[in-house]
Amino acid sequence: MSGNALIEASNLGVRHGETTVLAHVDFRIVPGEIVTVVGPNGSGKSTLIRALIGLEPAASGRVSRAAGLVIGYVPQKLHIDASLPMTVRRFLSLPRRVSDAQAAEALARTGVAGIEQRPLAGLSGGQFQRVLLARALLAKPQILILDEPTQGLDQPGTAGFYKLIEEVRRETGCAVLMVSHDLHVVMSASDRVICLNGHVCCEGAPRVVSAAPEYRALFGLGTGGAFALYQHVHDHDHDHDEGHGHDHSHPHAAHPHNHDCEHDHA
Ligand SMILES: Nc1ncnc2c1ncn2[C@@H]1O[C@H](COP(=O)(O)OP(=O)(O)OP(=O)(O)O)[C@@H](O)[C@H]1O
């Protein structure tokens, strides 16, 4: 482990059977950072998250986690049997019992106060995601790991959720690692973006990544208005940079590699 990293991977490779899903991935996240992983369907985002947590074995390279690291993990899919009459309150005590006061505080923190006795199956998508976040926060994590936390939410719901994540980071100082498809919101809510397609195509500060050719090749200008909403297309050099250029000296600057982002992980 180098420096104060919470989780670090070097030259990580993951295979599913004969298929290489991830290759040569270097990754690190430090306390208080919000890092978002973007990439097309099947590009290995969930696999990377699972490998970083230790739920998937590394076929090559290595993953290290800070000693005693407390992780609050919300997986992409949570199978809840709708026929089970599970209340929010009971769900918050799984797997670890929490007091009524702790449950109430966590629900208030995530903007869904007072819904303890509601059946889980009857919540709206936005309420459910906030309950999942509340449950993850009850562990007092040093890092929150959220795999597509805004799936199924509309745009205001998504924006509100990311605002909440930033508040939680500010209040608790926890790091946040997310997977997201909400490109333009990600761009404004993250300190650093990693663009994945079986390998790291590019990474860095959002505005640097959104201008990287690798990112543009994957997402194009037409996808959800990511560029239009975030910044003008940066296709020229400035003599007097004034902070708008590509700062490759910054530790979070993009490090685009000349990989073919269209490869099929074969
Ligand atoms: N348990 C598994 N066994 C075999 N193949 C798997 C398994 N899990 C994932 N894969 C394959 O690994 C590749 C990467 O999957 P992964 O779920 O990590 O992608 P993703 O980027 O998170 O995709 P999405 O955006 O659709 O959620 C896909 O081709 C997927 O089919």
Side-chain angles (χ1 to χ4, degrees), residues 72-95:
Y73 173 48
V74 178
Q76 183 178 13
K77 291 189 193 81
L78 201 72
H79 295 290
I80 304 222
D81 187 343
S83 64
L84 269 181
M86 164 100 63
T87 62
V88 169
R89 177 69 189 85
R90 255 187 75 202
F91 179 68
L92 291 179
S93 267
L94 295 175

Side-chain angles (χ1 to χ4, degrees), residues 3-266:
N4 58 347
L6 298 173
I7 305 181
E8 187 161 25
S10 58
N11 199 28
L12 173 66
V14 178
R15 299 178 67 83
H16 284 145
E18 292 301 299
T19 310
T20 297
V21 178
L22 290 175
H24 309 299
V25 174
D26 293 323
F27 171 90
R28 80 193 292 267
I29 185 166
V30 299
E33 240 191 325
I34 299 185
V35 177
T36 304
V37 181
V38 300
N41 290 131
S43 57
K45 303 181 297 296
S46 297
T47 302
L48 172 62
I49 296 290
R50 290 170 52 79
L52 294 174
I53 295 171
L55 300 173
E56 297 252 8
S60 57
R62 59 176 312 219
V63 174
S64 328
R65 286 175 292 277
L69 183 67
V70 181
I71 297 175
Y73 173 48
V74 178
Q76 183 178 13
K77 291 189 193 81
L78 201 72
H79 295 290
I80 304 222
D81 187 343
S83 64
L84 269 181
M86 164 100 63
T87 62
V88 169
R89 177 69 189 85
R90 255 187 75 202
F91 179 68
L92 291 179
S93 267
L94 295 175
R96 198 176 55 90
R97 235 199 108 58
V98 295
S99 70
D100 286 346
Q102 287 171 318
E105 188 191 335
L107 291 176
R109 181 69 217 78
T110 56
V112 282
I115 65 166
E116 282 90 335
Q117 298 316 318
R118 297 270 300 273
L120 212 52
L123 300 180
S124 74
Q127 289 169 331
F128 185 63
Q129 292 302 334
R130 284 166 188 260
V131 168
L132 290 180
L133 180 62
R135 181 164 163 267
L137 287 175
L138 281 165
K140 300 203 184 316
Q142 292 159 275
I143 179 168
L144 268 175
I145 301 189
L146 312 168
D147 195 341
E148 293 194 38
T150 57
Q151 52 187 308
L153 302 195
D154 60 15
Q155 263 196 339
T158 298
F161 191 88
Y162 284 123
K163 193 160 164 277
L164 173 60
I165 294 285
E166 282 186 296
E167 286 168 14
V168 165
R169 185 262 299 259
R170 196 168 56 242
E171 284 168 20
T172 69
C174 72
V176 182
L177 173 61
M178 288 185 283
V179 167
S180 182
H181 286 286
D182 308 303
L183 294 178
H184 66 270
V185 194
V186 159
M187 287 298 167
S188 62
S190 308
D191 299 319
R192 191 152 58 91
V193 175
I194 296 176
C195 183
L196 199 69
N197 196 18
H199 57 270
V200 177
C201 294
C202 54
E203 71 169 294
R207 73 182 150 83
V208 180
V209 167
S210 64
E214 293 82 358
Y215 178 89
R216 299 177 62 155
L218 280 176
F219 295 111
L221 288 170
T223 330
F227 291 110
L229 280 164
Y230 189 70
Q231 60 169 45
H232 71 287
V233 176
H234 194 102
D235 58 359
H236 55 278
D237 292 327
H238 296 286
D239 286 341
H240 303 291
D241 195 296
E242 294 179 344
H244 298 293
H246 299 196
D247 177 13
H248 291 288
S249 65
H250 190 279
H252 292 165
H255 300 291
H257 311 299
N258 289 326
H259 295 305
D260 173 8
C261 286
E262 308 293 341
H263 89 94
D264 60 8
H265 327 307

